[in-house]
Amino acid sequence: MTTSGLTIALDGMGGDHGPETTIGGAEIASIRHPAVRFLIFGDEAVMRPVLDKYPRVAAVSEIVHTPVAIAMDDKPSQALRRGRKTSSMWLAIDAVKTGRAQAALSAGNTGALMAMAKVILKTMPNVERPALAALWPTARGESVVLDLGATIGPDAIQLVQFAVMGEAFARIIFGLERPSVGLLNIGEEEVKGTEQVKEAAQMLREAGLPMQFHGFVEGDDISKGTVDVVVTDGYTGNIALKTAEGTVRLIIEFLREALRSSLMSRIGYIFAQGAFKALSKKLDPRASNGAVFLGLNGLVVKSHGGTDAEGFAYAIDVAIDVAAADLVQKIVADMALLDGFKPSAAQASHSTTEPSEAALS
């Protein structure tokens, strides 16, 4: 993959910390990717003083002024009304549609980002609902997990579409010919789970897609790395993600308390500093920052809103990687394999559930 000629559009005003994080993150990323350029959308009066502190990224960036920023607590409908064609988030996504950038990245409001991305870029052929996919650290390395909150209540056909998009993502990111795919369930037995999940499993067994369908996986299989791709609905996926992040923070806090608990603990830490630093690096949630909206006619990446510049730089890395790999066209090609697949009448008649506005918030 080559990054030469790539431009990444940044929502400079997004997230909890705005330009200090977005521009600071771009500075870090530009060290790793010197050939990449940035279009940074936002209030120039706010962003220019920050950009002037980072000469490296300033040399490869252009500020596009817009005074409108989407608030983190705006509802998607409010964001669309207030920020349509005028906000930093909208214009960053629109830069992908017009070809000025190859990917857009925002740390802003997830629901607003999803709504705007769907309006501007539309979903690709054979995709009914987009999915939010991220790399999840595991005992084996990393796995792709989707959906993490874009679509609430998908039906069986949509879960199959998620599986196809996830395996295409995994083939690109991990360099695998036939990634293993599992459906997240409450047990491995075929009789367990919702009707949608059971129907999706049957469809994946019959479809003859370029993947190894493992069957059902359980919650602990995510961290084990049992499969390369874990497929679930956005409601469950988002809860699993937040639970995992909270657990990591709890473990880190327990370690800190234990190391401060006695003189012998502090002395022991001196001798084990290397091991503790390696563990801290593995547990650092910033290294897994950056989730990709799959199924759109363009690339949009979501960063955690509360991350710092280092974490935002990791999200930029993800945007660069998927743009350089031409992820959209590879997903389109794999989704075309579903053209000839005809699910059973019961599966085909399964109702489609629209995500609620509250779910996207």
Side-chain angles (χ1 to χ4, degrees), residues 261-276:
S261 63
S262 69
L263 177 60
M264 290 303 296
S265 296
R266 291 192 288 271
I267 293 173
Y269 171 73
I270 294 173
F271 289 101
Q273 282 187 72
F276 281 115

PDB file of all heavy atoms in Angstrom, residues 261-276:
ATOM      1  N   SER A 261       0.959   0.211  47.251  1.00  0.00           N
ATOM      2  CA  SER A 261       0.440  -0.272  48.525  1.00  0.00           C
ATOM      3  C   SER A 261       1.500  -0.472  49.605  1.00  0.00           C
ATOM      4  O   SER A 261       1.188  -0.430  50.794  1.00  0.00           O
ATOM      5  CB  SER A 261      -0.324  -1.581  48.310  1.00  0.00           C
ATOM      6  OG  SER A 261       0.562  -2.587  47.833  1.00  0.00           O
ATOM      7  N   SER A 262       2.749  -0.698  49.223  1.00  0.00           N
ATOM      8  CA  SER A 262       3.785  -0.950  50.230  1.00  0.00           C
ATOM      9  C   SER A 262       5.159  -0.638  49.664  1.00  0.00           C
ATOM     10  O   SER A 262       5.335  -0.499  48.444  1.00  0.00           O
ATOM     11  CB  SER A 262       3.749  -2.413  50.685  1.00  0.00           C
ATOM     12  OG  SER A 262       4.167  -3.274  49.632  1.00  0.00           O
ATOM     13  N   LEU A 263       6.132  -0.549  50.559  1.00  0.00           N
ATOM     14  CA  LEU A 263       7.513  -0.303  50.130  1.00  0.00           C
ATOM     15  C   LEU A 263       8.006  -1.448  49.261  1.00  0.00           C
ATOM     16  O   LEU A 263       8.676  -1.227  48.245  1.00  0.00           O
ATOM     17  CB  LEU A 263       8.410  -0.139  51.351  1.00  0.00           C
ATOM     18  CG  LEU A 263       9.918   0.049  51.061  1.00  0.00           C
ATOM     19  CD1 LEU A 263      10.148   1.302  50.220  1.00  0.00           C
ATOM     20  CD2 LEU A 263      10.704   0.109  52.367  1.00  0.00           C
ATOM     21  N   MET A 264       7.696  -2.699  49.623  1.00  0.00           N
ATOM     22  CA  MET A 264       8.148  -3.847  48.847  1.00  0.00           C
ATOM     23  C   MET A 264       7.533  -3.836  47.445  1.00  0.00           C
ATOM     24  O   MET A 264       8.188  -4.223  46.471  1.00  0.00           O
ATOM     25  CB  MET A 264       7.782  -5.146  49.571  1.00  0.00           C
ATOM     26  CG  MET A 264       8.583  -5.378  50.845  1.00  0.00           C
ATOM     27  SD  MET A 264      10.377  -5.385  50.552  1.00  0.00           S
ATOM     28  CE  MET A 264      10.529  -6.815  49.493  1.00  0.00           C
ATOM     29  N   SER A 265       6.284  -3.388  47.317  1.00  0.00           N
ATOM     30  CA  SER A 265       5.642  -3.301  46.007  1.00  0.00           C
ATOM     31  C   SER A 265       6.363  -2.294  45.120  1.00  0.00           C
ATOM     32  O   SER A 265       6.590  -2.536  43.931  1.00  0.00           O
ATOM     33  CB  SER A 265       4.171  -2.900  46.152  1.00  0.00           C
ATOM     34  OG  SER A 265       3.455  -3.876  46.848  1.00  0.00           O
ATOM     35  N   ARG A 266       6.741  -1.159  45.723  1.00  0.00           N
ATOM     36  CA  ARG A 266       7.437  -0.130  44.942  1.00  0.00           C
ATOM     37  C   ARG A 266       8.823  -0.616  44.528  1.00  0.00           C
ATOM     38  O   ARG A 266       9.288  -0.342  43.421  1.00  0.00           O
ATOM     39  CB  ARG A 266       7.521   1.171  45.749  1.00  0.00           C
ATOM     40  CG  ARG A 266       6.162   1.840  45.924  1.00  0.00           C
ATOM     41  CD  ARG A 266       6.304   3.259  46.454  1.00  0.00           C
ATOM     42  NE  ARG A 266       6.707   3.281  47.850  1.00  0.00           N
ATOM     43  CZ  ARG A 266       5.854   3.259  48.871  1.00  0.00           C
ATOM     44  NH1 ARG A 266       4.548   3.204  48.648  1.00  0.00           N
ATOM     45  NH2 ARG A 266       6.278   3.289  50.118  1.00  0.00           N
ATOM     46  N   ILE A 267       9.494  -1.346  45.413  1.00  0.00           N
ATOM     47  CA  ILE A 267      10.810  -1.908  45.067  1.00  0.00           C
ATOM     48  C   ILE A 267      10.657  -2.952  43.963  1.00  0.00           C
ATOM     49  O   ILE A 267      11.439  -2.993  43.006  1.00  0.00           O
ATOM     50  CB  ILE A 267      11.473  -2.528  46.314  1.00  0.00           C
ATOM     51  CG1 ILE A 267      11.824  -1.435  47.322  1.00  0.00           C
ATOM     52  CG2 ILE A 267      12.726  -3.313  45.916  1.00  0.00           C
ATOM     53  CD1 ILE A 267      12.323  -1.959  48.652  1.00  0.00           C
ATOM     54  N   GLY A 268       9.605  -3.786  44.070  1.00  0.00           N
ATOM     55  CA  GLY A 268       9.361  -4.800  43.045  1.00  0.00           C
ATOM     56  C   GLY A 268       9.098  -4.177  41.692  1.00  0.00           C
ATOM     57  O   GLY A 268       9.525  -4.702  40.658  1.00  0.00           O
ATOM     58  N   TYR A 269       8.419  -3.024  41.697  1.00  0.00           N
ATOM     59  CA  TYR A 269       8.139  -2.349  40.427  1.00  0.00           C
ATOM     60  C   TYR A 269       9.431  -1.915  39.741  1.00  0.00           C
ATOM     61  O   TYR A 269       9.544  -1.982  38.513  1.00  0.00           O
ATOM     62  CB  TYR A 269       7.244  -1.137  40.668  1.00  0.00           C
ATOM     63  CG  TYR A 269       7.090  -0.271  39.438  1.00  0.00           C
ATOM     64  CD1 TYR A 269       6.318  -0.694  38.366  1.00  0.00           C
ATOM     65  CD2 TYR A 269       7.749   0.959  39.339  1.00  0.00           C
ATOM     66  CE1 TYR A 269       6.186   0.083  37.229  1.00  0.00           C
ATOM     67  CE2 TYR A 269       7.626   1.742  38.211  1.00  0.00           C
ATOM     68  CZ  TYR A 269       6.842   1.297  37.151  1.00  0.00           C
ATOM     69  OH  TYR A 269       6.733   2.067  36.027  1.00  0.00           O
ATOM     70  N   ILE A 270      10.415  -1.473  40.536  1.00  0.00           N
ATOM     71  CA  ILE A 270      11.694  -1.038  39.964  1.00  0.00           C
ATOM     72  C   ILE A 270      12.330  -2.154  39.148  1.00  0.00           C
ATOM     73  O   ILE A 270      12.849  -1.939  38.048  1.00  0.00           O
ATOM     74  CB  ILE A 270      12.645  -0.563  41.077  1.00  0.00           C
ATOM     75  CG1 ILE A 270      12.090   0.709  41.745  1.00  0.00           C
ATOM     76  CG2 ILE A 270      14.052  -0.307  40.524  1.00  0.00           C
ATOM     77  CD1 ILE A 270      12.870   1.149  42.959  1.00  0.00           C
ATOM     78  N   PHE A 271      12.252  -3.389  39.666  1.00  0.00           N
ATOM     79  CA  PHE A 271      12.866  -4.524  38.979  1.00  0.00           C
ATOM     80  C   PHE A 271      12.014  -5.034  37.809  1.00  0.00           C
ATOM     81  O   PHE A 271      12.522  -5.741  36.943  1.00  0.00           O
ATOM     82  CB  PHE A 271      13.112  -5.674  39.966  1.00  0.00           C
ATOM     83  CG  PHE A 271      14.205  -5.397  40.946  1.00  0.00           C
ATOM     84  CD1 PHE A 271      13.914  -5.001  42.249  1.00  0.00           C
ATOM     85  CD2 PHE A 271      15.533  -5.507  40.572  1.00  0.00           C
ATOM     86  CE1 PHE A 271      14.928  -4.731  43.159  1.00  0.00           C
ATOM     87  CE2 PHE A 271      16.553  -5.234  41.478  1.00  0.00           C
ATOM     88  CZ  PHE A 271      16.252  -4.857  42.779  1.00  0.00           C
ATOM     89  N   ALA A 272      10.737  -4.687  37.798  1.00  0.00           N
ATOM     90  CA  ALA A 272       9.832  -5.197  36.754  1.00  0.00           C
ATOM     91  C   ALA A 272       9.296  -4.084  35.863  1.00  0.00           C
ATOM     92  O   ALA A 272       8.255  -4.246  35.225  1.00  0.00           O
ATOM     93  CB  ALA A 272       8.679  -5.956  37.400  1.00  0.00           C
ATOM     94  N   GLN A 273      10.028  -2.957  35.799  1.00  0.00           N
ATOM     95  CA  GLN A 273       9.536  -1.820  35.024  1.00  0.00           C
ATOM     96  C   GLN A 273       9.282  -2.173  33.571  1.00  0.00           C
ATOM     97  O   GLN A 273       8.277  -1.764  32.980  1.00  0.00           O
ATOM     98  CB  GLN A 273      10.549  -0.665  35.099  1.00  0.00           C
ATOM     99  CG  GLN A 273      10.504   0.117  36.392  1.00  0.00           C
ATOM    100  CD  GLN A 273      11.404   1.327  36.335  1.00  0.00           C
ATOM    101  OE1 GLN A 273      11.089   2.294  35.653  1.00  0.00           O
ATOM    102  NE2 GLN A 273      12.531   1.261  37.017  1.00  0.00           N
ATOM    103  N   GLY A 274      10.197  -2.942  33.000  1.00  0.00           N
ATOM    104  CA  GLY A 274      10.049  -3.291  31.584  1.00  0.00           C
ATOM    105  C   GLY A 274       8.769  -4.056  31.324  1.00  0.00           C
ATOM    106  O   GLY A 274       8.041  -3.767  30.359  1.00  0.00           O
ATOM    107  N   ALA A 275       8.475  -5.021  32.175  1.00  0.00           N
ATOM    108  CA  ALA A 275       7.261  -5.827  32.003  1.00  0.00           C
ATOM    109  C   ALA A 275       6.004  -4.971  32.187  1.00  0.00           C
ATOM    110  O   ALA A 275       5.035  -5.099  31.433  1.00  0.00           O
ATOM    111  CB  ALA A 275       7.256  -6.981  32.998  1.00  0.00           C
ATOM    112  N   PHE A 276       6.028  -4.084  33.184  1.00  0.00           N
ATOM    113  CA  PHE A 276       4.866  -3.240  33.418  1.00  0.00           C
ATOM    114  C   PHE A 276       4.646  -2.254  32.270  1.00  0.00           C
ATOM    115  O   PHE A 276       3.513  -1.967  31.888  1.00  0.00           O
ATOM    116  CB  PHE A 276       5.000  -2.495  34.742  1.00  0.00           C
ATOM    117  CG  PHE A 276       4.664  -3.324  35.942  1.00  0.00           C
ATOM    118  CD1 PHE A 276       5.624  -3.647  36.884  1.00  0.00           C
ATOM    119  CD2 PHE A 276       3.376  -3.801  36.123  1.00  0.00           C
ATOM    120  CE1 PHE A 276       5.318  -4.419  37.992  1.00  0.00           C
ATOM    121  CE2 PHE A 276       3.057  -4.577  37.239  1.00  0.00           C
ATOM    122  CZ  PHE A 276       4.031  -4.889  38.164  1.00  0.00           C
TER     123      PHE A 276
END
